[in-house]
Amino acid sequence: RDHPQVQLFTAPGNAGTGALGTNLPIEGTDLDGLVRWASAEKPDLTIVGPEAPLCAGVVDRFAEAGLPIFGPNGAAARLEGSKVFTKDFLLKYNMPTAAGRGFTDAATAVAYSQTCSYPLVLKADGLAAGKGVIIAQNQAEATETIHRIMDERIFGDAGNAMVIEDFLPGREMSVHVLTDGLAHFILPIAQDHKKLGDGDSGPNTGGMGAYAPAPFATDALQKQIAREVVEPVLASLHKEGIDFRGILYIGLIWTAAGPQILEFNVRGGDPETQILLPLLETPLVDIFHAVREQRLGQLAIRLNALHAVTIVLAAAGYPGTPETGAPIEGLELELPDTFVFQGGTKQRGKDVVTSGGRVLSVTAWAGDLATARDLAYQRVAKIHFAGSQYRRDIAARLTLE
Ligand code: GLY
């Protein structure tokens, strides 16, 4: 809105992106449709947000067509698209990660699970919209889950294979690394809140709120993560011949033995992106161009001294089947130093209505975390839709324990 000369197109978009630019009736995984549109319209840059198009190889298709695009190629996107590939990669290069392995048949997986101690982590191999990781408390739960993933295919083809690994107790955190394959820049460490309910109760979700920089991420902790995780991961990607250019999100757990890698995502986290963007001084588009052109080492990325908090407003029924079509009221009631990122929304006539599980991320920023948190909740209080669910304790637990 501040740059009328800039045109923004989003495929397929939502009510929020529609208000900022033009939504295109093309699904993110319709690679032919996307290449066709971009070949005709020649955008200066295409930015890929979610994992499905990245894993489907949209970056390779655009590169073949000579179209500039930001994001990792299909080979690199396997770090998110295949948990078995990732486990093999982590073990091959001796990275800090839980003991475990991949399986392609249920009988072998069940036999292995009988040799493990509990709780035990079971992961569908492929993309499962954040729902593919299940923690089994005992052998019976593990056996049932393995059959559900690999035989009943509750996650479809994502269950062609799976990973079983040890459960690691500790504090999870999200580390986002911008890399062009040569240089890298580690963004402030973010804390996601994965459970639906207050006090980390209820089922797992894609994320119900987040804050950054995490106050427990001292200089010493950040240096340890850089030394023991980020640098070895990037060096190993290089050795493996993977040209990763984009945002590498490392899902970590801080354990008694230090940081351990739980998973990779090949994109900005949702809702972590909504709190990392307000912390960047350097224009995002400059970063994207520099990453794509392998000039990141020449770009001095600047951060501000702010703290940001985001609170997700989810639809009734989420993380199961969300109720949709509820009109959202109060979006126009702005508050300084806040921004409402829209997720599952769509325009219906004059109304913005819910159209997905995580509907809005209400974000605020301030010189300290407590003020940012208060502001975010003030903005949340202005927004209403039937059945809205959100946590009241985002950014309330700030220590590492
Ligand atoms: N917040 C976790 C994710 O984006 O996958």
Side-chain angles (χ1 to χ4, degrees), residues 7-8 10 28 76 83 86 90 95 101 107 111-112 117 122 130 158 209 254 269 307 318 330 340 357 360 382 387:
Q7 283 186 285
L8 179 70
T10 310
K83 307 295 178 253
T86 295
L90 291 171
M95 299 290 153
R101 50 167 284 209
Y112 176 82
S117 40
L122 310 170
W254 192 270
H307 294 255
Y318 179 77
V340 179
L360 305 169
K382 294 172 182 285

Side-chain angles (χ1 to χ4, degrees), residues 192 194 206 249 265 267 269-272:
D192 190 9
K194 290 252 166 60
Y249 165 148
N265 293 317
R267 54 172 171 85
D270 178 6
E272 290 94 331

Side-chain angles (χ1 to χ4, degrees), residues 296-313:
L296 189 61
Q298 291 139 50
L299 186 73
I301 295 180
R302 293 181 316 279
L303 300 170
N304 56 40
L306 298 174
H307 294 255
V309 174
T310 194
I311 295 148
V312 170
L313 270 55

